[in-house]
């Protein structure tokens, strides 16, 4: 399964480690991480997945694939700016949201609008988002909901 991991581009150490753990658990269970391909939560989730040999897809806002974080195995340039947020969630079967601001909120909304389950770790309190306390529980929720 592909799981979109969405969240803030600038995060503190605790949020970074949560996202890294989400990526690791997803990859250990055979899932591919889909994200926006840049910094913060996106980098951390990709790093966690790559730490255990997992695959990662980064759907980038710009036209240059080379700006993806170093842990993205498949960078996809879109040239769409933040409009690429919808592509991030459309290319996952479920989503895990960690922290984040308005960009993350838009990704959550797109995921919910398209019927994808969303687990939330310290993110927006939105109807339809399953608030969870740990990275493991986030992965368990999306696995059981697809």
């Amino acid at each position: 399964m592909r799981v979109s991991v969405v969240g803030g581009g600038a995060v503190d150490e605790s949020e970074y480690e949560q996202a890294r753990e989400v990526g690791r658990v997803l990859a250990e269970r055979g899932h591919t991480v889909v994200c926006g391909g840049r910094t913060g939560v996106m980098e951390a989730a990709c790093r966690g997945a790559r730490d255990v040999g997992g695959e990662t897809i980064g759907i980038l806002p710009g036209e240059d694939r080379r700006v993806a974080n170093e842990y993205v195995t498949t960078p996809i340039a879109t040239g769409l700016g933040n409009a690429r947020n919808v592509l991030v969630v459309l290319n996952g079967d479920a989503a895990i949201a960690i922290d984040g601001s308005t960009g993350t909120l838009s990704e959550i909304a797109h995921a919910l609008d398209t019927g994808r389950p969303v687990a939330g770790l310290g993110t927006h309190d939105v109807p339809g988002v399953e608030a969870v306390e740990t990275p493991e529980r986030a992965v368990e929720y999306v696995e059981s909901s697809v």
Side-chain angles (χ1 to χ4, degrees):
M1 166 169 75
R2 288 182 178 181
V3 178
S4 302
V5 179
V6 300
V11 294
D12 66 24
E13 185 176 331
S14 172
E15 292 154 345
Y16 188 94
E17 287 308 315
Q18 273 192 322
R20 187 173 179 183
E21 183 68 3
V22 164
R24 183 189 65 76
V25 173
L26 286 168
E28 285 179 343
R29 295 185 183 194
H31 306 302
T32 298
V33 170
V34 180
C35 69
R38 300 300 304 273
T39 60
V41 164
M42 299 167 279
E43 175 187 306
C46 289
R47 183 176 180 184
R50 295 300 301 143
D51 285 348
V52 295
E55 294 299 314
T56 62
I57 299 170
I59 301 178
L60 300 160
E63 297 178 5
D64 187 353
R65 293 180 307 204
R66 295 172 296 178
V67 301
N69 73 63
E70 66 183 290
Y71 307 105
V72 170
T73 56
T74 305
I76 299 171
T78 67
L80 296 173
N82 286 340
R84 69 73 155 88
N85 289 358
V86 71
L87 297 177
V88 172
V89 296
L90 284 177
N91 283 283
D93 302 298
I96 297 174
I98 304 165
D99 183 54
S101 188
T102 56
T104 304
L105 183 57
S106 77
E107 289 167 317
I108 290 169
H110 290 306
L112 294 172
D113 283 349
T114 56
R116 283 153 173 81
V118 180
L121 277 164
T123 193
H124 303 276
D125 181 16
V126 175
V129 174
E130 179 72 18
V132 295
E133 296 297 320
T134 66
E136 293 81 9
R137 183 65 192 116
V139 174
E140 289 167 3
Y141 175 75
V142 297
E143 285 177 329
S144 70
S145 299
V146 173

